[in-house]
Amino acid sequence: MSPHAKHPQSAFREFITSESAGGIVLMVAATLALVVANSPLAPSYFSALSAYLGPLNVAHWINDGLMAVFFLLVGLEIKREFLDGQLSTWPRRILPGIAAAGGMAAPALIFVALNSDSPETLRGWAIPTATDIAFALGVLSLLGNRVPASLKVFLTALAIIDDLGAVIIIALFYTSGLSLAWMAAAAAILAALVALNRFGVMRLAPYLVLGLLLWVVVLKSGVHATLAGVALALTIPLGRTPGVQDHPADSPLHTLEHALHKPVSFFVIPVFGFANAGVPLGSISAAYFLQPLTLGITLGLVLGKLIGVFGTAWLAIRFGLADMPANASMRHLLGVAFLCGIGFTMSLFIGLLAFPDAVAMQGALKVGILSGSLVSGLLGVAILLFSPRTGGPSSR
């Protein structure tokens, strides 16, 4: 078999490896942020984030600028997986798709139930719906061969569909003060990007130049600027001709995706984590965790993801709608369902969109995200550590 013919599978393995290692770096960055935010360096840490560099402060450059690169990579991964990867056929989409849908609906319902009498916090309903693919795969990588490779593929596919859901949620529910003029300008630039694709332009430079202009225009339009990254990604060409010639691995999409993996995994996401995970813990008491916002996020991540991911996956397998991942058991699936409760990056991002100016609420949501992600991660690890190294492919 030619090297080209092997490329899609090796690209997917490289993606998982990159995300796993990046997840470990993200853990270190988040821990460091907590340490700094509760040390004598805290005033310098918070003042540095609020210092202005040109039109935006440092925190906004990170959350609106660097994260646009993250969303560009997310968009590229979604497009590749749906057109030419692990999600390219309906049988491959069924189990992760059902699990992802359940894993978004159940946490949101739990959050709404706990915050229904608190209109000021109800806006955060989408915070616990997210799964942090880097963090979750980072934890899986630490477990080695205790986790079947098929479950890593399942978790990756689920998280990619989850990211797609998060992008849709952000676009529909977390935009405000829309400017029709700037939106029209964004539509014109997007049309130019689509035209480049339709005319078969395969050089990346024109797409990236127009993509930068799109980011500026979207930033001014009222739609969150990071969505410009997703829109750009969907216009990047992906060749799908089978065989050696014109293999997708030679396409602009694969070239850009491979170029972005390491910078995003080892710089963009850790910087975002360091900038946003810093929470002063001195004023936090037991009562703090019982606030509707904090409790809704924590239980949404821990119980909601468990019920949504494991419950829907179990039903799909039980009634023959989908097959159990190869060499996995229900206990393995249970452990992975808990790992889906590690929300961190996308949960923090949605939380900052939900409460952009409410400092007190940001503190509560960060505590909820950190505690929910920690509990989910620990429970997932405990279950997987005591799971058999292999299981029957059709265990039910």
Side-chain angles (χ1 to χ4, degrees):
M1 185 178 289
S2 71
H4 286 283
K6 294 180 180 178
H7 225 92
Q9 187 177 7
S10 64
F12 193 73
R13 286 200 302 268
E14 180 181 330
F15 165 73
I16 291 178
T17 302
S18 178
E19 290 286 351
S20 300
I24 296 171
V25 175
L26 177 57
M27 294 178 204
V28 174
T31 303
L32 184 60
L34 283 171
V35 171
V36 171
N38 292 278
S39 74
L41 295 174
S44 299
Y45 169 78
F46 290 109
S47 63
L49 291 174
S50 56
Y52 272 79
L53 294 174
L56 303 174
N57 63 28
V58 172
H60 278 112
W61 277 117
I62 293 170
N63 296 338
D64 293 353
L66 279 182
M67 287 300 283
V69 180
F70 165 73
F71 274 85
L72 171 58
L73 180 59
V74 167
L76 294 172
E77 290 164 353
I78 290 171
K79 181 174 180 176
R80 171 178 53 79
E81 290 304 318
F82 272 86
L83 294 183
D84 197 63
Q86 295 296 320
L87 299 171
S88 60
T89 63
W90 281 109
R92 290 179 173 182
R93 295 171 187 165
I94 290 175
L95 187 61
I98 290 174
M104 298 186 78
L109 291 173
I110 289 175
F111 182 95
V112 169
L114 292 170
N115 287 267
S116 58
D117 295 329
S118 179
E120 67 275 13
T121 61
L122 200 55
R123 182 171 166 79
W125 64 271
I127 296 171
T129 64
T131 293
D132 190 312
I133 185 172
F135 237 130
L137 284 175
V139 172
L140 274 188
S141 72
L142 298 176
L143 295 170
N145 62 1
R146 290 182 179 275
V147 181
S150 62
L151 276 187
K152 296 179 183 178
V153 174
F154 166 75
L155 176 59
T156 304
L158 185 155
I160 288 171
I161 297 172
D162 190 284
D163 283 345
L164 175 60
V167 168
I168 294 171
I169 287 171
I170 292 168
L172 294 179
F173 299 101
Y174 294 105
T175 56
S176 59
L178 297 179
S179 166
L180 293 180
W182 285 112
M183 286 187 68
I189 296 171
L190 188 57
L193 284 164
V194 172
L196 287 178
N197 185 299
R198 290 295 178 91
F199 283 110
V201 176
M202 301 298 282
R203 292 178 59 243
L204 273 172
Y207 293 95
L208 297 181
V209 171
L210 285 176
L212 180 59
L213 290 175
L214 181 64
W215 177 83
V216 173
V217 169
V218 171
L219 179 67
K220 295 178 176 292
S221 72
V223 177
H224 200 272
T226 52
L227 295 180
V230 179
L232 170 62
L234 298 181
T235 68
I236 303 294
L238 171 64
R240 296 188 62 210
T241 304
V244 175
Q245 299 298 322
D246 297 323
H247 196 277
D250 301 321
S251 71
L253 187 145
H254 269 77
T255 299
L256 183 58
E257 185 183 10
H258 283 282
L260 290 178
H261 266 156
K262 287 184 172 59
V264 168
S265 296
F266 299 110
F267 178 71
V268 173
I269 296 303
V271 167
F272 173 82
F274 180 75
N276 291 286
V279 181
L281 302 177
S283 60
I284 295 176
S285 63
Y288 202 86
F289 290 90
L290 299 178
Q291 296 181 29
L293 178 59
T294 308
L295 192 61
I297 294 171
T298 303
L299 293 182
L301 289 172
V302 178
L303 294 181
K305 284 293 184 179
L306 171 65
I307 295 168
V309 173
F310 182 76
T312 55
W314 181 85
L315 287 171
I317 294 168
R318 176 68 179 81
F319 290 101
L321 298 176
D323 295 328
M324 174 72 76
N327 299 319
S329 65
M330 275 297 173
R331 188 180 297 179
H332 286 119
L333 200 60
L334 180 66
V336 168
F338 271 116
L339 292 186
C340 289
I342 302 175
F344 202 72
T345 303
M346 196 66 84
S347 291
L348 277 175
F349 189 80
I350 294 174
L352 295 174
L353 293 180
F355 308 109
D357 303 314
V359 176
M361 287 187 181
Q362 287 184 9
L365 71 89
K366 288 179 182 180
V367 169
I369 292 168
L370 291 172
S371 58
S373 296
L374 179 62
V375 171
S376 295
L378 290 176
L379 289 173
V381 167
I383 291 170
L384 291 171
L385 277 176
F386 292 98
S387 296
R389 293 181 184 272
T390 58
S394 60
S395 301
R396 295 188 178 186

